[in-house]
Amino acid sequence: MSRTRRLTAARLGPRDVLHVGSAGLRSRPVRVVLSALGIAIGIATMIAVVGISASSQAQLLRQLDALGTNMLVAKPGEGMFSGQEVKLPKDAVGMVGRIAGVEKAAGTGDLTSSVRRSEKIPEAETGGIAVKAATEGLLEVLRGGLASGTWLNAATGRYPSVVLGHVAAERLGITEPGRQVWIDDRYFTVIGVLDPLPLAPEIERSALVGWAGAERLLRFDGHPTTVYERSTDASVEDVQQLLAPTIDPQNPQNVSVGDPSSALKAKAATEGAFSTLLLGLGGIALLVGGVGVANTMIISVLERRHEIGLRRSLGATRGQIRIQFVTESLMLSGLGGLAGVGLGGAATGVYASTGGLPWVVPLWAVGGGFAATLAIGTVAGLYPAVRASRLSPTLALATA
Amino acid sequence: MTTTSAMTTSPLPTPGGTPTAGATATPVVRLRGVTKEYAGGVRALDGVDLTIGEGELLGIVGPSGSGKSTLLHIVGTLDRPSAGTVEIAGYDIASLSDRRLSALRARRIGFVFQAFHLVPGVGALENVAEGLLYSGLPRARRREMAAEALARVGLGDRMKHRPHELSGGQRQRVAIARAVVGEPALLLADEPTGALDSASGEAVMTLLHELNAEGATIAVITHDTEIAGRLPRQVRIRDGRVVADTSLASGEVGVTGAPGAPDASGDGKGAA
Ligand SMILES: Nc1ncnc2c1ncn2[C@@H]1O[C@H](COP(=O)(O)OP(=O)(O)O)[C@@H](O)[C@H]1O
Ligand SMILES: [Mg+2]
């Protein structure tokens, strides 16, 4: 009969903690949805903001990967004296092609001609479309593709045939080859339309005529105005150094060299830097959501006075009452967080699929958003939980 | 059927948290000079001495506001007295922290309330199992014991019924099952029939009598004199004082020989 055992309160197992913590939620599903909504909106906003910018960035990086970062462009620089027209030598493309490391070179030459849908349209209405002579290798150097038709070759390049960049084709209202356009004083047949060329937007807005045809039909002087080259990835830097002195050994300063992919890289970086304003809005929604959860918890404690008294009479310690309500608050905000991650992810998915972007939701954003919810749940639940645990059991049980 | 009546000799004092060992008949409850004053100067209990032995079934009777519930709360360790000593199952509760008191309630005390206090929306079995939640027993065992307790109170066929699907009398029997599922040393019931019609109340009282016959120690608050009359022992309370206790020689009320007990015999309202 001897009972020398000291009294120790038993601990609740994790499953029991979940059980008591979810009891209040199960009995009031509508309230759960409404009070978790604020958190869900906040998290969804943040996930969507981060996800959309990450998706756009991923798209640009993917594009950059496909286009390569090993293309350089050489153009005539600013002349020594303003107004002085500097020309690249006629053989600039060939000279560049012979630089060690260069795999292929191509060139375009600007023409003063204008292109129109027909001779009836006044010459002033060019729609901002340039006419250029192009070497045969241009499409390959640009890694461009044809939306339809064929590219210029030695045969077609000699005759009045033209390939349109995709912006030029759009402006001229031409969707397929076979149509004719008016250049200078004669009709040229459209033999192809190009795909978009993110590395060479100037070509997108051009009508391209073969080198020989341009010299023969459009009084082209044969001097290229832009030289494009592709080199091996390892030799890009060396080639960059050599381009200007190779093209114009006497006045290398007359040649300016550019890297079109650097603009795309910079764009990718800015796309990745998501809008802090939108993120801030998401944060405010999250905060409001947290206040909503705290409010719900305070009401829950008030309403469940009897239950608290009952649990104390059944042997719950103050700590166990606290854990019950903090768990409830955590579940409430956690549910909001889960819904928010789902909503934000879905919003990103919809945006990505309509824009043809890859669907990217960074894991750190999901983890961070969820951690934020749990922190908010703890903070929101702590005060009500402490109040619940301090409630006098006798007062809690009193039926007033 | 009571074999043990109130002990009048005081055993060894009990050190904190460790009950006295070896006593052959440690009373389940022993109050000495218990006073409870609420803020505002209301003296709900005024020098109460009360001893309840193992296996007793007693009624605490008295008019409304006389301090019955306050007494039950103090006996149930839900509240502490302003003065006096309270020993439950051999533990001096003044020496126990809130945590240890909770453990004491979890293992040794069962409560039945007038308002049932069942968890709404949850089946009878789960409501009864809730009575063991803080006992440290594994979940499967708790449910097993809960099913047995429900069967014991005659609701073996209502395991899944939720409170709103049960009659008042059935709800109170669920509450009683919850209170006794852990086989507590002491069952405390505050007006258990107060919210029931007379037939349901009758059934609840019969159940309490049966549980007592099986060995449970039970204290029932009631102001129904008919119900009280059928209980083996009655303790009558008025204005926070015990004015009659049928287990004591008539006329010797409230004074159980404890040294230094306050003079409680002066009110002249001796029992019949
Ligand atoms: N928490 C409290 N604060 C102040 N006074 C209280 C409190 N609880 C009970 N009382 C008072 O103590 C007295 C006894 O109350 P109670 O024990 O509930 O009586 P009974 O249960 O016999 O009706 C009453 O006068 C009541 O107003
Ligand atoms: Mg009362």
Side-chain angles (χ1 to χ4, degrees), chain A residues 1-12 15-16 19-20 23 26-27 306-307 309-318 320-321 324 392-394 396-399, chain B residues 16-19 21-22 26 54 73 78-79 89-91 96 98-100 102-109 111 113 115 117 119 126 130-131 133-136 139 142 178:
Chain A
M1 271 301 280
S2 76
R3 293 166 302 173
T4 47
R5 204 157 48 92
R6 281 176 74 87
L7 284 168
T8 43
R11 292 186 43 178
L12 287 184
R15 193 167 168 190
D16 291 326
H19 167 77
V20 294
R26 272 176 282 144
S27 60
H306 292 321
E307 186 198 318
L310 171 74
R311 291 193 183 279
R312 292 284 276 145
S313 82
L314 293 177
T317 62
R318 287 198 179 122
Q320 284 164 340
I321 297 291
Q324 171 177 349
S392 139
T394 57
L397 284 166
T399 36
Chain B
T18 312
T26 309
E54 220 172 286
H73 289 152
L78 290 172
D79 212 348
Y91 294 94
L96 297 180
D98 191 77
R99 230 179 118 73
R100 293 197 195 284
S102 300
L104 182 69
R105 287 196 293 273
R107 304 221 173 87
R108 303 289 164 85
I109 303 172
F111 289 90
F113 306 98
H117 290 320
V119 181
E126 285 194 54
E130 211 75 346
L133 183 63
Y134 303 98
S135 67
R139 187 181 144 83
R142 296 197 304 255
R178 180 181 62 196

Side-chain angles (χ1 to χ4, degrees), chain B residues 140-218:
Chain B
R141 180 84 190 108
R142 296 197 304 255
R143 292 179 73 87
E144 221 173 87
M145 288 169 74
E148 283 164 25
L150 262 185
R152 172 65 196 85
V153 300
L155 291 174
D157 55 344
R158 296 281 194 282
M159 303 273 186
K160 291 207 166 96
H161 285 58
R162 285 169 293 171
H164 69 268
E165 295 163 339
L166 297 169
S167 73
Q170 288 171 331
R171 283 183 223 180
Q172 194 58 298
R173 272 146 68 198
V174 171
I176 290 172
R178 180 181 62 196
V180 300
V181 65
E183 299 189 348
L186 178 64
L187 177 62
L188 300 170
D190 193 347
E191 311 250 15
T193 62
L196 303 178
D197 61 84
S198 57
S200 305
E202 195 70 34
V204 163
M205 286 316 296
T206 305
L207 176 59
L208 291 180
H209 275 277
E210 286 170 8
L211 290 169
N212 174 245
E214 289 161 21
T217 309
I218 305 176

Side-chain angles (χ1 to χ4, degrees), chain A residues 41-275:
Chain A
I41 290 173
I43 291 291
T45 310
M46 297 174 104
I47 295 278
V49 166
V50 174
I52 285 173
S53 65
S55 297
S56 311
Q57 187 182 30
Q59 163 74 354
L60 280 172
L61 291 175
R62 185 189 272 186
Q63 225 172 45
L64 204 57
D65 216 43
L67 298 171
T69 53
N70 56 351
M71 187 178 91
L72 295 174
V73 176
K75 291 178 183 172
E78 286 286 301
M80 291 287 275
F81 312 101
S82 59
Q84 183 187 350
E85 200 193 342
V86 179
K87 286 192 170 179
L88 301 182
K90 278 193 175 185
D91 190 29
V93 174
M95 295 188 296
V96 168
R98 287 187 290 275
I99 298 175
V102 170
E103 290 175 331
K104 186 140 191 128
T108 58
D110 291 351
L111 302 172
T112 52
S113 314
S114 67
V115 55
R116 287 167 281 164
R117 254 176 90 87
S118 76
E119 58 192 305
K120 295 182 193 78
I121 291 170
E123 195 167 353
E125 289 180 28
T126 59
I129 304 166
V131 180
K132 291 177 195 283
T135 62
E136 264 181 71
L138 182 67
L139 197 62
E140 191 189 330
V141 172
L142 292 177
R143 290 193 189 162
L146 282 154
S148 59
T150 56
W151 176 241
L152 301 162
N153 60 31
T156 55
R158 301 187 61 79
Y159 297 102
S161 33
V162 63
V163 170
L164 299 175
H166 92 281
V167 175
E170 219 164 76
R171 290 189 186 160
L172 289 168
I174 288 167
T175 50
E176 55 202 34
R179 296 280 309 272
Q180 304 230 304
V181 289
W182 185 257
I183 299 179
D184 269 6
D185 53 0
R186 73 179 72 214
Y187 278 106
F188 277 62
T189 304
V190 176
I191 60 167
V193 176
L194 298 178
D195 279 333
L197 295 163
L199 284 184
E202 70 278 8
I203 303 295
E204 295 180 328
R205 289 180 192 78
S206 299
L208 303 167
V209 181
W211 206 263
E215 283 176 324
R216 199 162 62 80
L217 305 167
L218 298 171
R219 298 175 304 280
F220 175 43
D221 65 3
H223 286 278
T225 41
T226 311
V227 176
Y228 301 86
E229 69 77 29
R230 282 277 177 189
S231 56
T232 57
D233 283 318
S235 54
V236 172
E237 281 176 33
D238 294 339
V239 172
Q240 187 152 22
Q241 298 299 317
L242 288 171
L243 268 177
T246 305
I247 293 170
D248 194 343
Q250 272 84 49
N251 298 301
Q253 73 276 10
N254 282 351
V255 179
S256 84
V257 175
D259 174 6
S261 68
S262 64
L264 216 54
K265 275 183 247 173
K267 198 173 163 206
T270 50
E271 288 280 355
F274 37 77
S275 156

Side-chain angles (χ1 to χ4, degrees), chain B residues 7-260:
Chain B
M7 293 219 356
T8 48
T9 53
S10 100
L12 298 167
T14 57
T18 312
T20 328
T24 42
T26 309
V28 179
V29 174
R30 185 164 55 196
L31 307 188
R32 274 178 297 176
V34 165
T35 295
K36 178 70 188 181
E37 248 180 70
Y38 285 113
V42 181
R43 213 166 238 243
L45 292 179
D46 189 0
V48 169
D49 296 316
L50 178 69
T51 305
I52 304 174
E54 220 172 286
E56 277 202 78
L57 171 57
L58 75 153
I60 297 169
V61 290
S64 182
S66 55
K68 305 184 296 291
S69 293
T70 303
L71 177 62
L72 195 88
H73 289 152
I74 284 179
V75 170
T77 76
L78 290 172
D79 212 348
R80 294 179 190 265
S82 317
T85 60
V86 177
E87 282 170 32
I88 306 297
Y91 294 94
D92 178 0
I93 75 152
S95 66
L96 297 180
S97 65
D98 191 77
R99 230 179 118 73
R100 293 197 195 284
L101 275 189
S102 300
L104 182 69
R105 287 196 293 273
R107 304 221 173 87
R108 303 289 164 85
I109 303 172
F111 289 90
V112 175
F113 306 98
Q114 180 178 352
F116 322 136
H117 290 320
L118 297 180
V119 181
V122 167
L125 182 76
E126 285 194 54
N127 258 294
V128 175
E130 211 75 346
L132 291 171
L133 183 63
Y134 303 98
S135 67
L137 290 169
R139 187 181 144 83
R141 180 84 190 108
R142 296 197 304 255
R143 292 179 73 87
E144 221 173 87
M145 288 169 74
E148 283 164 25
L150 262 185
R152 172 65 196 85
V153 300
L155 291 174
D157 55 344
R158 296 281 194 282
M159 303 273 186
K160 291 207 166 96
H161 285 58
R162 285 169 293 171
H164 69 268
E165 295 163 339
L166 297 169
S167 73
Q170 288 171 331
R171 283 183 223 180
Q172 194 58 298
R173 272 146 68 198
V174 171
I176 290 172
R178 180 181 62 196
V180 300
V181 65
E183 299 189 348
L186 178 64
L187 177 62
L188 300 170
D190 193 347
E191 311 250 15
T193 62
L196 303 178
D197 61 84
S198 57
S200 305
E202 195 70 34
V204 163
M205 286 316 296
T206 305
L207 176 59
L208 291 180
H209 275 277
E210 286 170 8
L211 290 169
N212 174 245
E214 289 161 21
T217 309
I218 305 176
V220 187
I221 288 182
T222 179
H223 57 232
D224 184 328
T225 44
E226 200 186 323
I227 285 176
R230 269 181 273 150
L231 297 172
R233 177 184 171 194
Q234 292 151 41
V235 175
R236 202 164 289 279
I237 296 201
R238 184 180 295 267
D239 296 334
R241 292 163 196 255
V242 175
V243 292
D245 186 340
T246 57
S247 75
L248 302 169
S250 72
E252 285 182 85
V253 156
V255 191
T256 52

